[in-house]
Amino acid sequence: GPLKPEITITYIAVSAIFFNSGLSLKTEELTSALMHVKLHIFVQIFTLVFFPTAIWLFLQLLSITPINEWLLKGLQTVGCMPPPVSSAVILTKAVGGNEAAAIFNSAFGSFLGIVITPLLLLLFLGSSSSVPFTSIFSQLFMTVVVPLIIGQIVRRYIKDWLERKKPPFGAISSCVLLMIIYTTFCDTFANPNIDLDKFSLIIIVFIIFSVQLSFMFLTFLFSTRHNSGFTAADTVAIIFCSTHKSLTLGIPMLKIVFAGYEHLSLISVPLLIYHPAQILLGSLLVPTIKSWMVSRQK
């Protein structure tokens, strides 16, 4: 279409989000976030170990139901995906949580996902294929790391102006993210090969919202224990980074791993539902989480 999402979304939109983050984030906050090893380990283990394993166990129960088996396989692929490179950062920023930690885990989780996600898909679904790690790795580097560094460099020169004017960074990122979701939905439902029965689709939507809420509550419980060592701002980053899954990395990876699969469209559907659902749910919970964080800090 005229929006050219294969260029504007794949390269420009994600780069814009991270340039925006680099511009708005104080360098000392980003540096201190790198040292928060315990938080990073928690997020990555939850996302890439606990999440896919829990989904696999849950699907053993669902396999006896009449739900479309390819949609169930699609749910498993959702569990195997790395953290997103945009939505978790934007929602953490909206609440006022540890944005630097969210950025680090989004970027680090995406790089881990390039290697780990295909291995998880192989383990849980038995699908194998030659994944061009170098091309995905280089694309991630150019769309995540480079814009972030450029944003930080530009910030050094216009720091006073930024602090004086306070540009609406959050609103800009949200608008870009909305564009990503819109083009993704257009891609999905423009595909004539998708053969969905309404019952399976409604059940999958219900399961996705239930899984997200359950896992958000679980990460909240774990990270707010007395001996956890996490601040309220850390908890906000953990809730979003641990439970969100990457669409921008996930869809290209599914197309590579399941290349030539006649059921690729159906396998992709749960991820295409999960992504906007995580943003919708996160946006609805922002005021609640924000008021909790403020009261906790007081």
Side-chain angles (χ1 to χ4, degrees):
L3 289 176
K4 297 283 180 223
E6 65 277 7
I7 298 167
T8 54
I9 299 301
T10 310
Y11 298 102
I12 299 169
V14 177
S15 299
I17 286 171
F18 278 87
F19 174 74
N20 196 19
S21 294
L23 207 56
S24 63
L25 199 67
K26 291 174 183 170
T27 310
E28 56 273 17
E29 288 179 4
L30 199 56
T31 312
S32 66
L34 299 178
M35 302 297 110
H36 210 332
V37 179
K38 188 179 177 183
L39 189 150
H40 308 325
I41 290 172
F42 179 93
V43 170
Q44 300 309 326
I45 287 178
F46 191 96
T47 311
L48 295 169
V49 179
F50 176 81
F51 202 126
T53 307
I55 292 288
W56 181 80
L57 291 169
F58 182 49
L59 291 182
Q60 301 311 300
L61 298 172
L62 291 179
S63 62
I64 57 171
T65 65
I67 300 169
N68 188 301
E69 66 165 315
W70 298 105
L71 287 178
L72 292 180
K73 285 181 189 291
L75 267 181
Q76 185 64 69
T77 67
V78 170
C80 298
M81 291 301 155
V85 289
S86 49
S87 59
V89 175
I90 293 166
L91 289 167
T92 303
K93 186 184 178 74
V95 174
N98 191 340
E99 189 197 351
I103 285 176
F104 178 83
N105 278 288
S106 294
F108 182 57
S110 297
F111 283 112
L112 279 180
I114 294 167
V115 178
I116 294 175
T117 295
L119 294 176
L120 288 173
L121 291 171
L122 179 65
L123 177 69
F124 289 111
L125 296 169
S127 173
S128 62
S129 137
S130 56
V131 180
F133 293 121
T134 46
S135 64
I136 302 176
F137 193 89
S138 59
Q139 186 185 325
L140 262 179
F141 186 80
M142 293 306 293
T143 55
V144 175
V145 179
V146 172
L148 191 65
I149 292 168
I150 293 170
Q152 284 282 286
I153 293 166
V154 172
R155 181 183 169 81
R156 289 185 65 183
Y157 293 101
I158 58 167
K159 190 177 177 182
D160 295 336
W161 181 84
L162 287 171
E163 287 177 2
R164 197 168 60 250
K165 294 287 183 183
K166 295 192 179 349
F169 291 116
I172 294 166
S173 294
S174 299
C175 289
V176 175
L177 199 60
L178 197 64
M179 188 179 165
I180 293 172
I181 298 165
Y182 170 71
T183 53
T184 305
F185 262 99
C186 290
D187 275 353
T188 312
F189 296 105
N191 189 336
N193 299 323
I194 289 187
D195 179 29
L196 281 173
D197 63 286
K198 287 188 176 71
F199 168 75
S200 294
L201 188 60
I202 291 165
I203 295 294
I204 290 293
V205 171
F206 175 74
I207 289 168
I208 283 169
F209 275 99
S210 304
V211 164
Q212 281 191 38
L213 276 171
S214 305
F215 283 1
M216 286 174 95
F217 184 64
L218 204 58
T219 52
F220 176 79
L221 284 181
F222 277 127
S223 59
T224 51
R225 287 178 308 158
H226 287 300
N227 58 349
S228 70
F230 297 126
T231 64
D234 292 340
T235 297
V236 173
I238 286 169
I239 287 171
F240 291 126
C241 289
S242 301
T243 57
H244 281 209
K245 293 292 183 176
S246 176
L247 179 74
T248 45
L249 190 63
I251 291 299
M253 207 171 272
L254 286 182
K255 283 179 179 173
I256 293 162
V257 176
F258 293 100
Y261 237 65
E262 61 173 314
H263 298 288
L264 174 60
S265 294
L266 282 173
I267 290 172
S268 307
V269 166
L271 183 58
L272 290 161
I273 296 169
Y274 194 96
H275 184 80
Q278 71 192 9
I279 297 162
L280 178 66
L281 200 58
S283 303
L284 291 173
L285 290 172
V286 161
T288 310
I289 297 172
K290 197 169 190 172
S291 61
W292 168 81
M293 193 183 83
V294 170
S295 64
R296 179 78 181 259
Q297 286 172 335
K298 282 178 183 176

